[in-house]
Amino acid sequence: MAGEYSVELDSHPKGNNSNTNSSMIQDITLSGPGTYRLSFGYMPRTKDEGNNSNDNGIQYSISNKFISKGGLVSSFRNEKSAWSEVFMDFTITAEHGTEFQLKFEAYGAENKLGGIIDEVCLVRTVPTPIPSTLVLLFSGVAGFAALK
């Protein structure tokens, strides 16, 4: 999965401020009502050193003033850690509009080590077409019924 570029979202702690984790946001325009899939690669950077202080979390969301969908991915690195694909399907209606914000944000300890994301993709999903054999079957049944 690892593309040419990836992003690690975390930050240096700053004094007593415990909310210094970084985020990135992009304004996007969707093509209209339908079902969409957000997917991205995720890999934790750090191991669990026994203190259960997970600093690899990534929160993700797509939202506007009418709707908000999102989630959290977080894990510890192990000797066999590799990229994993995270995906979220969501549906918008005409009432939701087409202007949205896509956001990724670090979650967990602010210690310069965090979750890594790569290959972010947002696509409109296409309904699975009915196989042509079923279309032929239903046409034959309808034709047979019309003969009776």
Side-chain angles (χ1 to χ4, degrees):
M1 177 162 288
E4 189 173 340
Y5 302 101
S6 59
V7 173
E8 178 180 14
L9 294 175
D10 207 292
S11 65
H12 294 268
K14 186 174 183 176
N16 291 330
N17 185 352
S18 63
N19 191 18
T20 62
N21 268 330
S22 58
S23 64
M24 60 184 187
I25 297 172
Q26 180 167 346
D27 292 329
I28 57 172
T29 302
L30 300 179
S31 61
T35 300
Y36 294 82
R37 172 168 281 190
L38 170 66
S39 63
F40 60 94
Y42 167 80
M43 184 170 61
R45 180 170 174 200
T46 61
K47 297 180 181 181
D48 178 9
E49 302 295 339
N51 59 7
N52 292 321
S53 177
N54 194 343
D55 55 2
N56 294 302
I58 299 288
Q59 292 179 325
Y60 55 95
S61 65
I62 185 159
S63 63
N64 66 13
K65 63 183 178 181
F66 301 110
I67 187 172
S68 180
K69 300 286 183 180
L72 169 68
V73 61
S74 182
S75 68
F76 291 112
R77 188 177 183 104
N78 61 40
E79 299 307 320
K80 297 179 183 177
S81 283
W83 289 98
S84 59
E85 184 177 17
V86 178
F87 64 90
M88 173 186 72
D89 293 332
F90 62 96
T91 301
I92 63 167
T93 64
E95 294 80 28
H96 296 140
T98 58
E99 303 298 318
F100 288 84
Q101 280 195 333
L102 177 60
K103 181 177 184 179
F104 291 91
E105 183 174 21
Y107 177 83
E110 292 113 347
N111 60 359
K112 305 176 283 178
L113 306 170
I116 303 168
I117 62 173
D118 194 6
E119 294 190 19
V120 176
C121 183
L122 179 61
V123 296
R124 188 172 188 171
T125 59
V126 178
T128 306
I130 298 174
S132 58
T133 52
L134 286 178
V135 172
L136 289 173
L137 174 67
F138 289 130
S139 298
V141 170
F144 182 72
L147 290 175
K148 286 188 164 195

